[in-house]
Amino acid sequence: MRLLPWLRGCLPSTLRGRLFLISLAVVSVPISVAGYLLEHEGRHALLREKGEKLFGLTRILDAHLGAGFDPWLAGAEGAPPANREAAIGRLSAALTPFTDLVAEANPGVGVGYYSKALNAIVTYGPSRQYSGTVGTTIPPDHPGWTVLDSGEKALETGPQVRGLILNAMWPVTRDGAVIGYIWANELSDDVERQAAAMDRAVLAVSAGGILLGLLLTLVMSRRLDRDIQGIIRGLARMRTDLRHALRPPPGEVGEIAVEVNGMARALLDARTLTENILHSIADGVVAVDREGRVTALNPAAEQMTGWTAAEVLGQPYGALFKPDGRFASALLDTLETGQEHIGVPLDLPTTRQTLHVAVSSSLLRDSRDQTIGAVVVLKDLTEQRRLRTQIMRADRLAALGELVAGIAHEVRNPLTSIRGFMQFLGSSDDVTEWQRYAPLIVRQVDSLNRLVTELLEFGRPRPPSIRPVQINDLIREVSLLAGRKSNAQVVLELAPGLPLVEADGEALKQVVLNLIINATQAIAETGTIRIATDDEDGREAVVVVADDGAGIEPENLDKVFDPFFSTKLNGTGLGLAMVHRIVDAHNGTITVASTPGAGTTVTLRLPFVHSLSESS
């Protein structure tokens, strides 16, 4: 496993060097292997050729021997020699002329006969060189004994009688018996000279092929390196200038340059589009790197902060604001924790003014999904807040006007009645008349007193006494009391196991009571009031009060919570206004849906856990 890193470390660092090294291996290895195989096969072919030639000579000598050694021993007299030496001499004299003839016809070749019966060399040509060997016996380890014993021909290379030779030995078989063997040999030096000449030729051709391949590789790698270096220089320039186009060289590398130019144009178009969008949007956009340094600032952000991009690029994000300004930075929080923020309202203390903005921040990631920074979008709400404040002030003034008008209207009617009664009684001395109209005057005074009491409760609500409340039990108690004062049927559909709500129980009783009273007043004679509860995802308790009464006209739906708005003859218009105030104090919501002639549905949503509102 450690070998691979070591080999990688040995490779050249440049493409040209690696290409040259790979080409060297690709060219030299096949040529070297081919040369080796050619030399090896050539040497074997040479040996086979030599062996076939030598065996051909032995067959000629075998044919010349005829019926065997015995006829040559009988000679012209027909009598065999008296002893072994004489027999060897007679065979040598008879066979030497032919062996010399064969040897002279094949320079460098030695031929001869060996008699098994005489156990001696009987002839060895050319005799002028090797006649001294006639009559000698081959050594015990000589391969000729194997031929004599097996009757099989053999081709051997090694040191023998005449030295280091290539020796072909042919058994002489007559009447099924091996009577000797014939040899034809050639000195190995001659064979090696021919093989060496062939080796030199193969080596020269291989070296020439390798050199030619390396030369072509060098030329091609130099041209490829020049083209690639041109592309590298062009890409380096494209880092700062995407409008720069690469000059395409010929071939496939040129096609790469063309594709790179196309990618650069597409990237330039995308960057131009992005820059145009950033320059045209009205919201401020600020981007920072992983260290919180500013990397981008669009014109809207420049106008908000009072800084130009050239002044703050590379500076910490906090440098955009007053040195002593303290604020919770959503951007830096996102950069530190990775938590994104959407539409968070903040006050930013810029160098010129404090901006009221809605902040949205998120992380910036590269193509490998690695964090490279963060971006924040600043939506200026300063003007909107100013306009909203003016609208709220106008709404309060309008509400105050309506409240004053309502109070004046509600107070004027009882006062008018009281004044009329007093004028009438002022001119009457009849005690009966006083007794008759005095209760009427008292009722009008009580009406004024009730109005003042409701106004005090509406204008100065007491702080809620928060404790766990079981809404189902509260609804059962209130509906039981209210149901006795009406002919309407109250149907309860209360969700079992509803969690406790942190609330002011007495205030909620007033809410439910007012809603039931409104529902009973909307029903002409008999009808049904349905009260249902539900648990919404464990976050809110939902209370629905629905009736099948007369309903509310569409133009009056937006006014039902306004003080002193009432469609009933004797209503003060403070009941639903008080309900709305109590629900707001519990951080809940109330909605009304109604269809004239079909009934009204009021929906309350109260959080299970009470928390102080933002305004408190």
Side-chain angles (χ1 to χ4, degrees), residues 78 109 151 189 229 246 331 430 441 481 491 493 529 542 548 570:
V109 175
D189 291 343
Q229 290 299 324
L246 301 178
L331 175 66
D430 189 354
I441 296 173
L481 296 175
V491 178
E493 299 176 358
I529 301 173
V542 181
D548 54 3
N570 298 322

Side-chain angles (χ1 to χ4, degrees), residues 230-376:
I231 293 179
I232 292 175
R233 289 190 295 271
L235 289 174
R237 184 174 174 182
M238 280 184 174
R239 288 184 177 180
T240 56
D241 183 14
L242 286 175
R243 291 179 175 82
H244 173 70
L246 301 178
R247 179 177 296 176
E252 288 80 359
V253 179
E255 296 178 5
I256 295 175
V258 171
E259 293 299 324
V260 170
N261 289 335
M263 292 175 61
R265 285 193 298 271
L267 182 59
L268 180 61
D269 293 341
R271 176 181 293 181
T272 302
L273 177 61
T274 303
E275 291 176 351
N276 289 337
I277 293 174
L278 289 177
H279 280 73
S280 61
I281 62 176
D283 296 338
V285 178
V286 183
V288 298
D289 59 16
R290 288 185 296 180
E291 284 72 32
R293 294 188 296 266
V294 177
T295 57
L297 197 74
N298 75 333
E302 292 179 351
Q303 185 177 3
M304 289 181 182
T305 60
W307 297 96
T308 64
E311 293 173 328
V312 297
L313 288 181
Q315 299 297 320
Y317 177 67
L320 298 177
F321 311 101
K322 287 182 180 180
D324 58 346
R326 295 183 179 180
F327 66 98
S329 173
L331 175 66
L332 298 181
D333 179 71
T334 296
L335 191 62
E336 180 179 355
T337 65
Q339 178 66 39
E340 297 185 351
H341 299 282
I342 305 296
V344 178
L346 287 178
D347 292 338
L348 296 183
T350 66
T351 55
R352 296 184 301 177
Q353 61 179 334
T354 298
L355 295 177
H356 308 293
V357 296
V359 177
S360 298
S361 60
S362 60
L363 290 175
L364 292 176
R365 302 182 184 274
D366 59 13
S367 58
R368 298 184 298 275
D369 202 32
Q370 299 294 321
T371 300
I372 59 175
V375 63
V376 64

